[in-house]
Amino acid sequence: MQKQHLNHYNFADHYYNRIKLKKYHLTKCLQNKPKISELARNIPSRSFSCKDLQPVKQENEKPLPENMDAFEKVRTKLETQPQEEYEIINVEVKHGGFVYYQEGCCLVRSKDEEADNDNYEVLFNLEELKLDQPFIDCIRVAPDEKYVAAKIRTEDSEASTCVIIKLSDQPVMEASFPNVSSFEWVKDEEDEDVLFYTFQRNLRCHDVYRATFGDNKRNERFYTEKDPSYFVFLYLTKDSRFLTINIMNKTTSEVWLIDGLSPWDPPVLIQKRIHGVLYYVEHRDDELYILTNVGEPTEFKLMRTAADTPAIMNWDLFFTMKRNTKVIDLDMFKDHCVLFLKHSNLLYVNVIGLADDSVRSLKLPPWACGFIMDTNSDPKNCPFQLCSPIRPPKYYTYKFAEGKLFEETGHEDPITKTSRVLRLEAKSKDGKLVPMTVFHKTDSEDLQKKPLLVQVYGAYGIDLKMNFRPERRVLVDDGWILAYCHVRGGGELGLQWHADGRLTKKLNGLADLEACIKTLHGQGFSQPSLTTLTAFSAGGVLAGALCNSNPELLRAVTLEAPFLDVLNTMMDTTLPLTLEELEEWGNPSSDEKHKNYIKHYCPYQNIKPQHYPSIHITAYENDERVPLKGIVSYTEKLKEAIAEHAKDTGEGYQSPNIILDIQPGGNHVIEDSHKKITAQIKFLYEELGLDSTSVFEDLKKYLKF
């Protein structure tokens, strides 16, 4: 089912892409220290695989003229030799004096200062696992660097293997565990390393194990969650004082503490689960800092209590957010707590002084659409990156001593001068104002004649992904308008925004999407014959529903792993995630009201003979979350309805193109590839009758063909 994008609360992704940008040298990493807000089961955010973005040497390179100004040199370099500027590095984590990362098919480590050189020690060859193109998804190093654990998977499967490497003069694989989701190291009273890990079976994560290695090997399961609608995730507080066992579903959570000094003692319950109450825990100086939605309003607020009295009756309100504010992340430092926020579709950082309870709120540059959190052990600085769909990440650092935010100096991306970002609002049927983020070229004339690409999601309280996507930048450079519609059901305006678009309020999201597109057209952005729509996973519900209810608004649609048959999927309890999904979509098997409501918007149930936009669907053969069967059934029924409409319309009618592109292998978390990207762009250009020559030439700057 599995349509969800997995991060239930739309906090920063666990294993979020961390992209370093230095003089247009782009390095893709995966963050290895999850934040307090990354406790939901989720997937890596969109990223390029190594084979898609290999550096390519340019032939016949010509030196740039000496009299060319600096800006033109940068722009010319980007345009003429960009492949050489992009390099891929996978997971990277610093511990002690070493950096651990993947080099080729090997887990390696090098001295911190040598991390960018070729001087490294091979710890493990991934090819020993006999997997197809394996890559490291996560790394954890034991406190005294006696062991390192690495989670390894492939693009074609969500299943992962955790290998434990003993660090010695001759590193050796000590053990391996299949189907591991989250894992953390702690050290017990006898100075022995203990690995805690969760086991995932059939997409469900309910069991927690702990294991030791060496002469005193043991491996035991010590917790099993009985409620199938909940899953379990491990998080180690930033000071490593407590390991937290987080049990959660879409709307409710429960946290147990494992004492980092006594990991064999029974876990301590912070607060028994209360339906509708979410909470996440950090620790500092014998106090627990709790990010929770308990109380009114039911949005996130920060509370704290003594670590030895953790129950909810002892929680004291510490900091509240403005209404309609989305808490994206939280980071804890020795003397400061940093909150990463979104308010009125703009990004903010709030720095709270823990000694004096002072608050400093920083409004970030208006071009910024997303945070990328950095791993950090420096108590004096809080580094992070900002990005947008058309602008690569840029580094910022808040320095606590100076009380100021510093931005990376160097080349300014040319896109800042050649494009605009607009924050607009559309009024939905019930009067609700729906935010939109719009990008277009600064020098575009007559925007009504420009092609428009609309993006939507609207489920699970998840924000639209606003990270850098090179193909989106290429489209803007080629004259396209990009519009991101932050409809209800997503999380852009906080928890209530999600609540107003789930269960029997799903149609709010559809009304919001319609209002957004009509508002864009009304304000002179494109027209229906040049409007396209794209959606992924659960975003396919709203996209498919719009194709049924208002097909005249669209010319073409691209869907990826789309959830299109809500009713039949939610009635099939044999699917792995159906029970987890009940609080998002409802229970049509036992609730007639839910069943009838789903029938009103379900894309598959509402197909009818009429004119549809052309639709390109990318599906994955091994997708366990959105089964291929449902997508195939939707496609066949849609083609039948179109054929019936064409027969009734008569000669001269031009039927829309319906394309189902089934990727062999693959799964719901497959990484973007140049093949998929180019197929989707080719489809859009052909449907709109546009010349794609220049756009594919520009794509070569980013993708190796």
Side-chain angles (χ1 to χ4, degrees):
M1 186 178 45
Q2 299 160 350
K3 52 277 165 188
Q4 64 182 25
H5 198 47
L6 308 187
N7 184 343
H8 302 313
Y9 309 111
N10 191 33
F11 288 174
D13 284 342
H14 175 50
Y15 317 136
Y16 200 106
N17 281 6
R18 178 162 56 86
I19 305 177
K20 298 178 180 178
L21 183 68
K22 294 182 179 179
K23 296 182 180 179
Y24 296 98
H25 181 83
L26 192 62
T27 303
K28 171 242 179 191
C29 305
L30 295 180
Q31 179 175 331
N32 281 275
K33 179 67 175 177
K35 305 290 185 182
I36 183 175
S37 56
E38 300 164 353
L39 303 182
R41 176 173 52 86
N42 42 43
I43 62 173
S45 59
R46 164 205 191 286
S47 57
F48 293 99
S49 62
C50 293
K51 64 178 181 292
D52 295 326
L53 284 179
Q54 294 288 348
V56 179
K57 288 289 185 182
Q58 296 291 314
E59 298 179 359
N60 303 321
E61 292 180 358
K62 297 180 180 180
L64 299 177
E66 290 296 325
N67 60 352
M68 183 180 291
D69 65 40
F71 174 77
E72 286 299 325
K73 283 184 179 180
V74 172
R75 185 168 66 179
T76 302
K77 189 174 184 181
L78 274 175
E79 291 175 349
T80 59
Q81 38 182 228
Q83 295 103 323
E84 199 170 32
E85 301 303 319
Y86 290 83
E87 176 186 353
I88 297 302
I89 298 175
N90 289 318
V91 174
E92 175 188 293
V93 64
K94 293 182 181 180
H95 190 100
F98 292 93
V99 178
Y100 296 78
Y101 56 98
Q102 181 174 344
E103 183 71 30
C105 281
C106 294
L107 170 63
V108 304
R109 71 172 177 178
S110 64
K111 289 291 186 181
D112 197 343
E113 64 271 13
E114 300 172 353
D116 291 332
N117 299 329
D118 293 330
N119 186 15
Y120 52 79
E121 174 188 11
V122 175
L123 303 178
F124 179 69
N125 188 341
L126 276 59
E127 293 179 343
E128 292 183 25
L129 298 177
K130 301 186 184 305
L131 300 173
D132 182 27
Q133 295 184 324
F135 65 90
I136 298 175
D137 199 33
C138 181
I139 297 173
R140 294 286 186 270
V141 185
D144 289 340
E145 295 189 275
K146 295 178 182 177
Y147 297 95
V148 59
K151 190 171 75 167
I152 300 165
R153 70 175 185 89
T154 70
E155 291 184 3
D156 288 343
S157 174
E158 290 192 50
S160 58
T161 299
C162 181
V163 297
I164 290 82
I165 309 299
K166 183 177 181 179
L167 300 175
S168 59
D169 292 339
Q170 295 292 328
V172 61
M173 185 174 73
E174 184 86 3
S176 67
F177 302 128
N179 301 314
V180 170
S181 178
S182 57
F183 56 107
E184 298 286 354
W185 290 100
V186 297
K187 185 176 291 296
D188 68 11
E189 303 93 325
E190 298 179 0
D191 206 36
E192 189 168 36
D193 294 310
V194 184
L195 181 72
F196 286 77
Y197 66 94
T198 56
F199 179 77
Q200 180 171 300
R201 180 189 293 111
N202 197 25
L203 297 181
R204 296 175 180 173
C205 196
H206 292 155
D207 299 320
V208 185
Y209 289 76
R210 54 190 168 195
T212 55
F213 309 95
D215 296 333
N216 186 27
K217 287 186 179 180
R218 54 193 291 193
N219 185 24
E220 63 183 29
R221 182 177 63 181
F222 76 97
Y223 180 88
T224 296
E225 173 56 39
K226 301 297 186 182
D227 190 329
S229 69
Y230 285 76
F231 64 92
V232 183
F233 190 87
L234 301 178
Y235 171 73
L236 188 66
T237 59
K238 189 170 182 181
D239 60 4
S240 300
R241 182 64 178 82
F242 290 103
L243 176 73
T244 64
I245 303 173
N246 302 270
I247 301 122
M248 46 185 38
N249 64 14
K250 305 295 186 298
T251 62
T252 305
S253 62
E254 175 180 288
V255 182
W256 294 73
L257 294 180
I258 297 288
D259 191 331
L261 302 177
S262 304
W264 300 104
D265 290 349
V268 175
L269 175 64
I270 292 182
Q271 173 57 48
K272 185 177 181 179
R273 64 194 73 171
I274 302 171
H275 181 72
V277 173
L278 294 165
Y279 69 99
Y280 310 89
V281 178
E282 254 294 2
H283 176 265
R284 169 191 174 269
D285 288 350
D286 295 326
E287 286 189 313
L288 300 178
Y289 287 78
I290 302 167
L291 192 65
T292 179
N293 67 330
V294 70
E296 293 295 334
T298 55
E299 297 289 347
F300 279 112
K301 52 195 73 72
L302 192 59
M303 296 187 169
R304 63 181 171 186
T305 185
D308 58 358
T309 56
I312 194 169
M313 71 280 294
N314 301 311
W315 296 0
D316 293 324
L317 184 62
F318 178 59
F319 183 78
T320 58
M321 267 61 73
K322 295 179 181 178
R323 191 175 291 272
N324 294 331
T325 295
K326 172 66 180 284
V327 181
I328 296 173
D329 217 328
L330 176 152
D331 204 354
M332 187 67 68
F333 296 83
K334 182 178 182 297
D335 297 315
H336 298 85
C337 174
V338 180
L339 289 166
F340 300 87
L341 309 171
K342 180 184 290 185
H343 179 71
S344 297
N345 214 16
L346 295 172
L347 301 185
Y348 293 80
V349 167
N350 278 12
V351 181
I352 305 173
L354 299 177
D356 57 5
D357 292 351
S358 62
V359 179
R360 180 172 174 78
S361 183
L362 304 171
K363 185 177 181 179
L364 299 174
W367 63 264
C369 298
F371 290 103
I372 300 175
M373 308 308 166
D374 205 346
T375 56
N376 177 50
S377 57
D378 182 359
K380 298 180 181 179
N381 302 313
C382 177
F384 58 91
Q385 298 169 74
L386 298 175
C387 64
S388 85
I390 65 172
R391 179 168 173 162
K394 184 173 184 178
Y395 263 105
Y396 289 79
T397 301
Y398 185 85
K399 297 187 177 182
F400 297 117
E402 290 90 336
K404 294 181 180 179
L405 184 67
F406 295 84
E407 66 177 287
E408 174 195 31
T409 58
H411 299 300
E412 185 63 30
D413 194 303
I415 200 74
T416 60
K417 295 182 180 295
T418 61
S419 69
R420 294 183 65 193
V421 55
L422 304 173
R423 316 286 178 165
L424 306 177
E425 289 182 324
K427 181 176 287 189
S428 196
K429 291 179 180 178
D430 60 359
K432 189 70 69 173
L433 295 178
V434 184
M436 297 182 286
T437 308
V438 179
F439 304 88
H440 68 83
K441 286 183 71 174
T442 305
D443 60 359
S444 289
E445 297 180 359
D446 199 356
L447 290 171
Q448 194 171 20
K449 296 182 179 179
K450 299 296 182 182
L452 168 65
L453 178 63
V454 176
Q455 186 160 320
V456 71
Y457 189 73
Y460 305 108
I462 296 175
D463 295 11
L464 269 174
K465 291 295 181 184
M466 302 291 281
N467 53 309
F468 175 60
R469 297 189 59 164
E471 71 274 18
R472 298 291 189 247
R473 176 172 179 148
V474 169
L475 290 178
V476 169
D477 285 340
D478 202 43
W480 282 69
I481 304 165
L482 303 185
Y484 291 75
C485 301
H486 311 293
V487 304
R488 279 173 285 183
E492 285 86 348
L493 298 184
L495 294 177
Q496 191 60 47
W497 198 247
H498 172 219
D500 287 343
R502 68 182 183 96
L503 295 176
T504 55
K505 295 182 179 180
K506 274 291 174 187
L507 285 170
N508 283 342
L510 176 59
D512 292 351
L513 178 58
E514 292 177 0
C516 286
I517 296 176
K518 290 178 179 178
T519 297
L520 289 167
H521 292 163
Q523 294 189 13
F525 294 99
S526 195
Q527 54 188 290
S529 62
L530 293 172
T531 296
T532 65
L533 175 65
T534 185
F536 167 71
S537 191
V541 174
L542 296 184
L546 184 66
C547 289
N548 288 328
S549 64
N550 274 286
E552 68 279 358
L553 291 177
L554 305 168
R555 178 65 184 86
V557 177
T558 64
L559 302 174
E560 184 178 354
F563 184 37
L564 297 166
D565 189 0
V566 183
L567 184 61
N568 289 324
T569 301
M570 292 307 301
M571 295 186 71
D572 187 353
T573 57
T574 65
L575 293 172
L577 297 180
T578 297
L579 295 178
E580 290 187 21
E581 302 290 294
L582 296 180
E583 293 194 54
E584 180 69 24
W585 308 99
N587 190 347
S589 296
S590 62
D591 191 319
E592 197 67 21
K593 179 182 178 182
H594 285 171
K595 183 176 182 179
N596 291 331
Y597 190 84
I598 291 173
K599 283 183 177 180
H600 276 81
Y601 68 81
C602 175
Y604 176 77
Q605 297 294 328
N606 289 281
I607 292 173
K608 56 191 175 186
Q610 64 175 352
H611 179 74
Y612 278 87
S614 292
I615 302 176
H616 182 285
I617 302 174
T618 305
Y620 301 108
E621 186 179 37
N622 296 334
D623 194 334
E624 296 178 87
R625 299 181 181 278
V626 181
L628 183 60
K629 177 183 176 182
I631 297 177
V632 171
S633 297
Y634 170 87
T635 305
E636 291 175 348
K637 185 176 180 180
L638 180 62
K639 288 182 176 180
E640 291 173 0
I642 290 171
E644 184 177 346
H645 176 68
K647 183 172 60 176
D648 294 340
T649 304
E651 295 183 9
Y653 174 71
Q654 185 173 355
S655 296
N657 293 311
I658 307 299
I659 300 172
L660 176 57
D661 180 10
I662 301 175
Q663 299 286 321
N667 68 90
H668 202 68
V669 299
I670 193 169
E671 296 189 347
D672 281 344
S673 67
H674 71 271
K675 180 180 178 182
K676 182 187 72 179
I677 291 170
T678 53
Q680 293 172 346
I681 290 180
K682 182 174 182 289
F683 169 81
L684 293 178
Y685 271 76
E686 288 179 349
E687 289 301 319
L688 269 60
L690 304 174
D691 183 1
S692 61
T693 304
S694 62
V695 76
F696 282 118
E697 286 299 315
D698 288 341
L699 273 174
K700 291 180 182 178
K701 300 174 185 179
Y702 302 97
L703 307 178
K704 180 183 177 183
F705 288 82

